[in-house]
Amino acid sequence: FLYIILNPVTGSILMRPWKDVSFAMSAMLLMAYGLHIYITDGKWMYKKGSVPVFVGVLVVVTLFRHNAILFTVPFLAAVLLFIKNKNYV
């Protein structure tokens, strides 16, 4: 633990937000949208502008990392199944 904390490379990595930090921030925003969809029983998707924002964040998350598709496809499937089970779509 001390080797990692005291290593100057660790501080250098944290000073430059690379694609990992961007992916993490966007994925957290996507998870917040997913939680909002779950809490409102899918009604949030029918507010004006929420679907384009959701899709835009989903696309951005997928494009930040080459393996983000492993996160976004199951997430999208879960959201679509949840909304479909609620008979809103």
Side-chain angles (χ1 to χ4, degrees), residues 4-55:
I4 294 171
I5 296 299
L6 297 175
N7 194 339
V9 176
T10 304
S12 176
I13 289 172
L14 292 176
M15 295 303 292
R16 294 182 204 94
W18 291 335
K19 58 187 175 188
D20 294 330
V21 176
S22 302
F23 170 74
M25 289 171 41
S26 301
M28 287 301 295
L29 180 62
L30 192 63
M31 290 300 292
Y33 286 157
L35 182 64
H36 199 68
I37 291 168
Y38 178 75
I39 288 173
T40 61
D41 289 328
K43 294 177 185 174
W44 180 76
M45 295 297 281
Y46 291 101
K47 289 186 178 179
K48 185 178 180 180
S50 61
V51 172
V53 169
F54 179 76
V55 171

Side-chain angles (χ1 to χ4, degrees), residues 45-66:
M45 295 297 281
Y46 291 101
K47 289 186 178 179
K48 185 178 180 180
S50 61
V51 172
V53 169
F54 179 76
V55 171
V57 171
L58 190 71
V59 168
V60 166
V61 168
T62 306
L63 292 177
F64 275 144
R65 295 286 301 165
H66 68 281

